[in-house]
Amino acid sequence: MSSLYCVAVITGELRSKIDRIWDSFWSGGISNPLEVIEQITYLLFMRRLDELQTLQENKARRLGEPVVNPTFLPGQEHLRWSRFKNEEPAVMFKVVGEKVFPFLRGLGSEGSTYSDHMRDARFTIPTPALLAKVVDMLDDVPMVDRDTNGDIYEYMLGKIASAGQNGQFRTPRHIIQLMVAMTAPTPKDDIVDPACGTAGFLVAASEYLRTAHPSVMTDEAQRHHFNRSMFHGYDFDNVMLRIGSMNMLLHGIEAPDIRYRDSLSQGAAADEGRYSLVLANPPFAGSLDYESTSAVLLKDVKTKKTELLFLALFLRLLKPGGRAAVIVPDGVLFGSSKAHKTLRQRIVEEHKLDAVVKLPSGAFRPYAGVSTAILFFTRTDSGGTDDVWFYDIQADGWSLDDKRSPLLPADKLGCTPDSPLAAGEHEKNNLPDVLARWRRRREESERGRARTEQSFCVPKADIVAQGYDLSLNRYKEVVHEEVEHRDPLDIIADLEKLEAEISQGLVDLKAMLK
């Protein structure tokens, strides 16, 4: 593909397939939604491992070479999806439960976080008939060039009533990819997502690096860093940790650092100043254990609002010169509490606020209706904010209702589409324009834009004068159409003429008023 990423779209057909699989679990006796998600993910993981090795075998056959680092060794053919899917239900059930799951638990490197998370992975599908039915349906799910684990998880979260309340809704992949492209990770970066969920940000960063910096696969030192010390993700949901670990492993990261941690707790201070890039969409409405919250963070910003505590955490996690792209609810931009104002002032005065990119209000539908923006900032410890770049995204390529249907063909979606957008298509997908203007933000052509345009720069002095309010509407100017005003004397003359006509009976006033 010519673009840096492929854009995944969960189609209506895929939705209906997942619905049927979901219904099969429920009718088969598994009604816990997270258990359904786990079991589906394990099965898809088994299938993907088989497909990846088949690709390696085909390549090795063409080159006349042995398979490099095979997942399945000689004598383990019966553990492959392509083999056990054709067995009788009873045989398949025995192989998967007694052979495949122990194999999965031992896949990661010794001592790796993957091994830690998978140690508790359990096969809980109750009957051979249900397993056979689900395997047959999953065999039909397309998995080429897509983070299918994440897609399916995102869709199924819409079925969980609490998804929008506990913060566990996924960030749309095209928004993640925009944030990654705008921060442009390098082979030297240490990247962290302190609320990683299914590891979508880390996966997108790894895909960007493979394409933009192929040396991460060919240079020995870079490859070691890429596979073992570049990617870090924290979460306090064991299901998410397992899914995130499998997701990273499927994307070719040998030993990602995906571990259990309440990022706002006392133990988070150990990583202060460790990372050069933070990519995150922290929980907006997650529950907070105030007693266990880091005293250091509470000293930075005394609040119970998780979104503010996470911002304070990001500043601490970054090393000087490190940068961040994080999604925040609009309230962070203009909230009037002391905590809100203090935190915004710190970012502007003590560090470098680079940009505020407003997202469309429907960006997180159907999981949440909250209005959001992306903050881009750099930790400097010495100030540096000059002009802050604002962009008002009005369309991201998908409809902004609960259906979130694509508005353009797949090759014209995302921030780096495979085909250039034709005239008028920008109105349906602003993301390529966001990226293009961002790369020119230091040029006079961009800095000189009027505040009536979709993007513009605001001097630090103006932001200080507005009490560090960062909401785009505070600075955006609206174009007012000029209205031609008639001379008052002409209006009076017309009224006098009308009055005369009425008095002469030439005009029926009642008819006019009707």
Side-chain angles (χ1 to χ4, degrees), residues 18 42 61 66 74 84 152 253 261 268-269 309 323 434 436 484 509:
I18 300 307
Y42 294 146
R61 197 174 299 115
F84 69 69
I152 292 171
I253 315 299
R261 171 183 286 178
L309 290 166
R323 59 216 189 277
V434 178
E484 184 179 341
L509 183 59

Side-chain angles (χ1 to χ4, degrees), residues 208-337:
Y208 177 94
L209 282 158
R210 285 178 187 273
T211 304
H213 300 279
S215 57
V216 296
M217 293 292 99
T218 56
D219 180 275
E220 185 176 350
Q222 288 185 19
R223 187 171 68 245
H224 185 273
H225 179 49
F226 181 85
N227 280 308
R228 300 190 169 273
S229 55
M230 178 180 284
F231 301 103
H232 308 265
Y234 310 136
D235 209 292
F236 54 80
D237 185 318
N238 283 315
V239 176
M240 296 302 99
L241 291 170
R242 280 197 284 275
I243 293 175
S245 292
M246 286 189 283
N247 208 357
M248 292 293 281
L249 203 65
L250 283 175
H251 283 83
I253 315 299
E254 293 174 6
D257 175 27
I258 307 288
R259 51 193 154 109
Y260 185 94
R261 171 183 286 178
D262 180 350
S263 290
L264 300 179
S265 69
Q266 305 286 358
D271 282 348
E272 184 170 342
R274 179 179 175 185
Y275 306 105
S276 60
L277 178 58
V278 171
L279 295 164
N281 178 10
F284 299 162
S287 57
L288 177 69
D289 183 353
Y290 200 72
E291 297 301 317
S292 67
T293 301
S294 167
V296 176
L297 294 181
L298 290 174
K299 184 180 177 182
D300 286 346
V301 54
K302 193 168 180 60
T303 182
K304 290 185 177 181
K305 289 190 172 295
T306 56
E307 59 265 32
L308 297 182
L309 290 166
F310 266 106
L311 270 180
L313 172 69
F314 299 153
L315 285 170
R316 286 194 167 272
L317 290 177
L318 288 171
K319 59 181 69 172
R323 59 216 189 277
V326 298
I327 295 174
V328 297
D330 274 2
V332 169
L333 306 178
F334 56 77
S336 58
S337 75

